[in-house]
Amino acid sequence: DAGVIQSPRHEVTEMGQEVTLRCKPISGHDYLFWYRQTMMRGLELLIYFNNNVPIDDSGMPEDRFSAKMPNASFSTLKIQPSEPRDSAVYFCASSPGTDTGELFFGEGSRLTVL
Amino acid sequence: AQKVTQAQTEISVVEKEDVTLDCVYETRDTTYYLFWYKQPPSGELVFLIRRNSFDEQNEISGRYSWNFQKSTSSFNFTITASQVVDSAVYFCALSRIQGAQKLVFGQGTRLTINP
């Protein structure tokens, strides 16, 4: 079975550029999450969706960050304009419709902003 | 507010040794879930276990065991007879029962098993 698929795996960009990270959740999962992992702050929940609807975006750091889920099989996390402090590994995760807390993570997208 | 503390940043042991990873949590909720996730070198986090705050029974799964003590707000994880493949970063996490999808993670413990 295909797991959560993220792209790109690695992205190096310059400050000020737009960055788009993509995620394909596991088919049939109703929840989709975006997490950010840094050495300083650990794993932070940025936003999560239920049935394509954003439920909680309180973790989105600022207006430069936006996330969309146009359909059940695709989500994007966009940073515009990017800054060096956005450098991190961004994880997408999905979960079935039950409220279990068992998340299935992708392998992450490592972003470096120069 | 909810908080998870993993005081051990890094642990290094020799293969076949037993090792315990500590996790202490804070929450005002009377009911909650506790989790352990493993992050191998490939990067993705892998779910290991979920415990309900109602159930303080220890759990064993092969070489893995978990000790939940509500009195000390701890949920420790022990690997018996460690193997090189156990090398990974391990995260403890906490959530509410309702809204269990919103996990609060600890900072993680990097475990290295040396041959």
Side-chain angles (χ1 to χ4, degrees):
Chain A
D1 289 342
V4 175
I5 300 172
Q6 293 187 243
S7 64
R9 292 294 312 279
H10 301 275
E11 174 90 5
V12 180
T13 190
E14 293 189 348
M15 184 174 63
Q17 297 297 306
E18 178 179 296
V19 173
T20 299
L21 308 179
R22 299 172 177 80
C23 175
K24 177 178 169 54
I26 293 173
S27 177
H29 281 190
D30 294 336
Y31 288 87
L32 184 138
F33 306 80
W34 283 100
Y35 278 87
R36 179 171 67 176
Q37 184 178 33
T38 60
M39 289 295 294
M40 290 297 295
R41 300 175 68 91
L43 272 163
E44 303 173 278
L45 176 64
L46 300 178
I47 184 172
Y48 78 93
F49 296 81
N50 183 18
N51 292 321
N52 313 337
V53 176
I55 302 300
D56 186 341
D57 65 354
S58 59
M60 295 286 263
E62 40 194 283
D63 291 345
R64 298 184 297 106
F65 285 69
S66 62
K68 294 182 179 179
M69 192 165 185
N71 58 63
S73 59
F74 183 66
S75 177
T76 60
L77 178 67
K78 186 175 292 186
I79 308 172
Q80 166 64 17
S82 58
E83 297 183 2
R85 60 191 168 123
D86 302 330
S87 298
V89 180
Y90 291 82
F91 286 99
C92 178
S94 69
S95 177
T98 52
D99 207 9
T100 65
E102 180 177 352
L103 307 184
F104 294 77
F105 282 79
E107 292 183 320
S109 294
R110 181 176 295 276
L111 173 65
T112 302
V113 183
L114 303 175
Chain B
Q2 297 183 318
K3 184 179 178 182
V4 175
T5 301
Q6 295 179 253
Q8 304 151 310
T9 305
E10 294 191 33
I11 300 176
S12 180
V13 300
V14 177
E15 199 171 19
K16 298 184 183 176
E17 285 186 17
D18 298 347
V19 57
T20 295
L21 309 182
D22 297 333
C23 173
V24 174
Y25 63 92
E26 296 174 30
T27 180
R28 294 179 182 171
D29 297 327
T30 54
T31 60
Y32 45 89
Y33 284 132
L34 293 163
F35 304 82
W36 276 94
Y37 277 79
K38 174 182 180 179
Q39 185 177 33
S42 54
E44 81 284 9
L45 279 81
V46 178
F47 169 87
L48 293 179
I49 190 172
R50 180 188 66 246
R51 298 299 286 172
N52 188 316
S53 57
F54 290 110
D55 184 2
E56 289 193 64
Q57 279 192 343
N58 291 335
E59 182 153 342
I60 298 174
S61 176
R63 295 183 298 105
Y64 294 174
S65 62
W66 291 270
N67 183 345
F68 175 31
Q69 292 197 350
K70 215 168 179 178
S71 60
T72 57
S73 298
S74 65
F75 185 44
N76 297 337
F77 173 29
T78 297
I79 302 174
T80 302
S82 60
Q83 299 176 3
V84 173
V85 292
D86 296 326
S87 297
V89 181
Y90 291 87
F91 291 92
C92 182
L94 169 70
S95 77
R96 294 190 164 93
I97 298 288
Q98 288 187 337
Q101 309 293 4
K102 193 169 181 179
L103 272 64
V104 173
F105 285 89
Q107 287 290 90
T109 297
R110 181 177 297 277
L111 176 63
T112 302
I113 310 297
N114 299 299

Short mmCIF file of all heavy atoms in Angstrom, two decimals, chain A residues 8-14 18-21 36 65 77 79 82-90 108-114:
data_model
loop_
_atom_site.label_atom_id
_atom_site.label_comp_id
_atom_site.label_asym_id
_atom_site.label_seq_id
_atom_site.Cartn_x
_atom_site.Cartn_y
_atom_site.Cartn_z
N PRO A 8 8.68 18.28 -2.94
CA PRO A 8 9.92 17.55 -3.18
C PRO A 8 10.51 17.02 -1.88
O PRO A 8 10.11 17.43 -0.81
CB PRO A 8 10.82 18.65 -3.77
CG PRO A 8 10.36 19.90 -3.09
CD PRO A 8 8.85 19.75 -2.95
N ARG A 9 11.45 16.12 -1.96
CA ARG A 9 12.10 15.63 -0.75
C ARG A 9 13.10 16.66 -0.22
O ARG A 9 13.31 16.77 0.99
CB ARG A 9 12.83 14.32 -1.02
CG ARG A 9 11.91 13.15 -1.31
CD ARG A 9 11.07 12.75 -0.08
NE ARG A 9 11.84 12.64 1.13
CZ ARG A 9 12.57 11.57 1.47
NH1 ARG A 9 12.62 10.54 0.68
NH2 ARG A 9 13.23 11.55 2.63
N HIS A 10 13.71 17.37 -1.14
CA HIS A 10 14.67 18.41 -0.76
C HIS A 10 14.42 19.63 -1.63
O HIS A 10 14.16 19.51 -2.84
CB HIS A 10 16.11 17.94 -0.96
CG HIS A 10 16.47 16.72 -0.19
ND1 HIS A 10 16.90 16.76 1.12
CD2 HIS A 10 16.42 15.41 -0.52
CE1 HIS A 10 17.12 15.54 1.54
NE2 HIS A 10 16.84 14.69 0.58
N GLU A 11 14.49 20.80 -0.99
CA GLU A 11 14.32 22.05 -1.73
C GLU A 11 15.29 23.06 -1.17
O GLU A 11 15.32 23.30 0.05
CB GLU A 11 12.88 22.55 -1.56
CG GLU A 11 12.60 23.91 -2.17
CD GLU A 11 12.15 23.83 -3.60
OE1 GLU A 11 11.95 22.71 -4.11
OE2 GLU A 11 11.98 24.89 -4.22
N VAL A 12 16.08 23.64 -2.06
CA VAL A 12 16.97 24.72 -1.67
C VAL A 12 16.56 25.95 -2.47
O VAL A 12 16.46 25.88 -3.71
CB VAL A 12 18.45 24.38 -1.94
CG1 VAL A 12 19.34 25.55 -1.53
CG2 VAL A 12 18.86 23.11 -1.22
N THR A 13 16.31 27.03 -1.79
CA THR A 13 15.84 28.23 -2.47
C THR A 13 16.46 29.46 -1.82
O THR A 13 17.09 29.37 -0.76
CB THR A 13 14.30 28.31 -2.41
OG1 THR A 13 13.85 29.35 -3.28
CG2 THR A 13 13.83 28.62 -0.99
N GLU A 14 16.29 30.56 -2.46
CA GLU A 14 16.82 31.80 -1.92
C GLU A 14 15.72 32.61 -1.24
O GLU A 14 14.54 32.54 -1.62
CB GLU A 14 17.47 32.63 -3.04
CG GLU A 14 18.71 31.96 -3.60
CD GLU A 14 19.48 32.87 -4.53
OE1 GLU A 14 18.93 33.92 -4.92
OE2 GLU A 14 20.62 32.53 -4.88
N GLU A 18 9.14 31.95 -3.62
CA GLU A 18 7.96 31.19 -3.21
C GLU A 18 8.30 29.71 -3.19
O GLU A 18 8.99 29.20 -4.08
CB GLU A 18 6.81 31.44 -4.19
CG GLU A 18 5.55 30.63 -3.87
CD GLU A 18 4.43 30.93 -4.86
OE1 GLU A 18 3.95 32.07 -4.89
OE2 GLU A 18 4.02 30.00 -5.59
N VAL A 19 7.82 29.03 -2.16
CA VAL A 19 8.05 27.59 -2.01
C VAL A 19 6.70 26.89 -1.91
O VAL A 19 5.82 27.34 -1.15
CB VAL A 19 8.87 27.29 -0.75
CG1 VAL A 19 8.97 25.79 -0.51
CG2 VAL A 19 10.26 27.91 -0.84
N THR A 20 6.53 25.82 -2.65
CA THR A 20 5.31 25.02 -2.56
C THR A 20 5.67 23.58 -2.26
O THR A 20 6.41 22.96 -3.02
CB THR A 20 4.49 25.09 -3.85
OG1 THR A 20 4.10 26.46 -4.09
CG2 THR A 20 3.22 24.24 -3.72
N LEU A 21 5.16 23.08 -1.18
CA LEU A 21 5.35 21.68 -0.79
C LEU A 21 4.04 20.94 -1.03
O LEU A 21 2.96 21.47 -0.79
CB LEU A 21 5.75 21.59 0.68
CG LEU A 21 6.94 22.46 1.10
CD1 LEU A 21 7.21 22.30 2.59
CD2 LEU A 21 8.17 22.11 0.29
N ARG A 36 5.98 20.86 11.16
CA ARG A 36 7.31 21.39 10.89
C ARG A 36 8.24 20.89 11.99
O ARG A 36 7.88 20.92 13.17
CB ARG A 36 7.29 22.91 10.86
CG ARG A 36 8.63 23.55 10.61
CD ARG A 36 8.51 25.04 10.39
NE ARG A 36 8.10 25.78 11.57
CZ ARG A 36 8.01 27.10 11.61
NH1 ARG A 36 8.29 27.83 10.53
NH2 ARG A 36 7.61 27.70 12.72
N PHE A 65 2.61 31.93 5.33
CA PHE A 65 2.31 30.52 5.18
C PHE A 65 0.83 30.34 4.83
O PHE A 65 -0.04 30.96 5.45
CB PHE A 65 2.59 29.76 6.49
CG PHE A 65 4.03 29.54 6.79
CD1 PHE A 65 4.87 30.58 7.12
CD2 PHE A 65 4.57 28.25 6.73
CE1 PHE A 65 6.21 30.37 7.39
CE2 PHE A 65 5.90 28.03 7.01
CZ PHE A 65 6.72 29.09 7.35
N LEU A 77 1.36 23.17 0.87
CA LEU A 77 1.78 24.15 1.88
C LEU A 77 2.67 25.14 1.14
O LEU A 77 3.67 24.73 0.55
CB LEU A 77 2.53 23.48 3.02
CG LEU A 77 3.07 24.40 4.12
CD1 LEU A 77 1.93 25.05 4.90
CD2 LEU A 77 3.98 23.63 5.06
N ILE A 79 4.83 28.83 1.07
CA ILE A 79 5.50 29.88 1.83
C ILE A 79 5.89 30.96 0.83
O ILE A 79 6.62 30.70 -0.13
CB ILE A 79 6.76 29.36 2.54
CG1 ILE A 79 6.45 28.12 3.38
CG2 ILE A 79 7.34 30.46 3.45
CD1 ILE A 79 7.68 27.43 3.95
N SER A 82 9.67 33.29 1.19
CA SER A 82 10.40 32.46 2.13
C SER A 82 11.51 33.26 2.81
O SER A 82 12.04 34.23 2.25
CB SER A 82 10.98 31.23 1.42
OG SER A 82 11.83 31.63 0.37
N GLU A 83 11.86 32.82 4.03
CA GLU A 83 12.93 33.43 4.81
C GLU A 83 13.84 32.33 5.35
O GLU A 83 13.39 31.19 5.50
CB GLU A 83 12.35 34.25 5.96
CG GLU A 83 11.49 35.43 5.52
CD GLU A 83 10.99 36.26 6.69
OE1 GLU A 83 11.32 35.94 7.85
OE2 GLU A 83 10.25 37.23 6.43
N PRO A 84 15.09 32.67 5.66
CA PRO A 84 16.01 31.63 6.18
C PRO A 84 15.46 30.90 7.41
O PRO A 84 15.71 29.71 7.58
CB PRO A 84 17.27 32.44 6.51
CG PRO A 84 17.26 33.56 5.52
CD PRO A 84 15.79 33.93 5.38
N ARG A 85 14.70 31.59 8.26
CA ARG A 85 14.18 30.93 9.46
C ARG A 85 13.08 29.91 9.16
O ARG A 85 12.63 29.19 10.06
CB ARG A 85 13.64 31.97 10.45
CG ARG A 85 12.52 32.84 9.91
CD ARG A 85 12.26 33.99 10.86
NE ARG A 85 11.39 34.99 10.26
CZ ARG A 85 10.24 35.38 10.80
NH1 ARG A 85 9.83 34.87 11.93
NH2 ARG A 85 9.51 36.31 10.21
N ASP A 86 12.66 29.84 7.90
CA ASP A 86 11.69 28.82 7.50
C ASP A 86 12.37 27.48 7.21
O ASP A 86 11.69 26.48 6.97
CB ASP A 86 10.93 29.26 6.25
CG ASP A 86 10.19 30.57 6.45
OD1 ASP A 86 9.77 30.86 7.60
OD2 ASP A 86 10.03 31.32 5.47
N SER A 87 13.69 27.47 7.21
CA SER A 87 14.42 26.23 6.94
C SER A 87 14.05 25.19 7.99
O SER A 87 14.15 25.44 9.20
CB SER A 87 15.93 26.48 6.95
OG SER A 87 16.30 27.39 5.93
N ALA A 88 13.61 24.03 7.53
CA ALA A 88 13.10 22.98 8.43
C ALA A 88 12.76 21.77 7.58
O ALA A 88 12.83 21.80 6.35
CB ALA A 88 11.84 23.47 9.16
N VAL A 89 12.36 20.71 8.26
CA VAL A 89 11.75 19.58 7.58
C VAL A 89 10.24 19.69 7.79
O VAL A 89 9.77 19.81 8.93
CB VAL A 89 12.26 18.23 8.10
CG1 VAL A 89 11.58 17.08 7.35
CG2 VAL A 89 13.77 18.13 7.98
N TYR A 90 9.51 19.66 6.70
CA TYR A 90 8.05 19.78 6.76
C TYR A 90 7.46 18.41 6.49
O TYR A 90 7.74 17.78 5.47
CB TYR A 90 7.57 20.79 5.73
CG TYR A 90 7.96 22.20 6.10
CD1 TYR A 90 9.23 22.69 5.80
CD2 TYR A 90 7.07 23.03 6.78
CE1 TYR A 90 9.61 23.98 6.17
CE2 TYR A 90 7.44 24.33 7.14
CZ TYR A 90 8.71 24.78 6.84
OH TYR A 90 9.09 26.06 7.21
N GLY A 108 8.84 13.50 4.61
CA GLY A 108 9.22 14.87 4.86
C GLY A 108 9.83 15.57 3.66
O GLY A 108 10.36 14.93 2.74
N SER A 109 9.74 16.89 3.68
CA SER A 109 10.39 17.74 2.68
C SER A 109 11.37 18.64 3.42
O SER A 109 10.96 19.43 4.28
CB SER A 109 9.36 18.62 1.95
OG SER A 109 8.47 17.86 1.17
N ARG A 110 12.65 18.47 3.11
CA ARG A 110 13.66 19.28 3.78
C ARG A 110 13.85 20.57 3.01
O ARG A 110 14.28 20.55 1.85
CB ARG A 110 14.99 18.52 3.89
CG ARG A 110 16.09 19.32 4.60
CD ARG A 110 17.35 18.51 4.78
NE ARG A 110 17.14 17.37 5.66
CZ ARG A 110 17.19 17.43 6.98
NH1 ARG A 110 17.46 18.57 7.60
NH2 ARG A 110 17.00 16.33 7.70
N LEU A 111 13.52 21.68 3.65
CA LEU A 111 13.61 23.00 3.00
C LEU A 111 14.79 23.77 3.57
O LEU A 111 14.93 23.90 4.79
CB LEU A 111 12.32 23.78 3.24
CG LEU A 111 12.32 25.25 2.78
CD1 LEU A 111 12.46 25.33 1.26
CD2 LEU A 111 11.06 25.97 3.25
N THR A 112 15.60 24.29 2.66
CA THR A 112 16.69 25.17 3.04
C THR A 112 16.51 26.49 2.30
O THR A 112 16.44 26.51 1.07
CB THR A 112 18.06 24.57 2.68
OG1 THR A 112 18.20 23.30 3.33
CG2 THR A 112 19.19 25.49 3.11
N VAL A 113 16.40 27.56 3.09
CA VAL A 113 16.26 28.89 2.50
C VAL A 113 17.56 29.66 2.77
O VAL A 113 17.93 29.88 3.92
CB VAL A 113 15.06 29.64 3.10
CG1 VAL A 113 14.90 31.00 2.40
CG2 VAL A 113 13.79 28.83 2.96
N LEU A 114 18.22 30.04 1.69
CA LEU A 114 19.52 30.71 1.82
C LEU A 114 19.38 32.22 1.92
O LEU A 114 18.39 32.80 1.45
CB LEU A 114 20.40 30.35 0.61
CG LEU A 114 20.62 28.85 0.40
CD1 LEU A 114 21.39 28.61 -0.88
CD2 LEU A 114 21.37 28.26 1.59
#
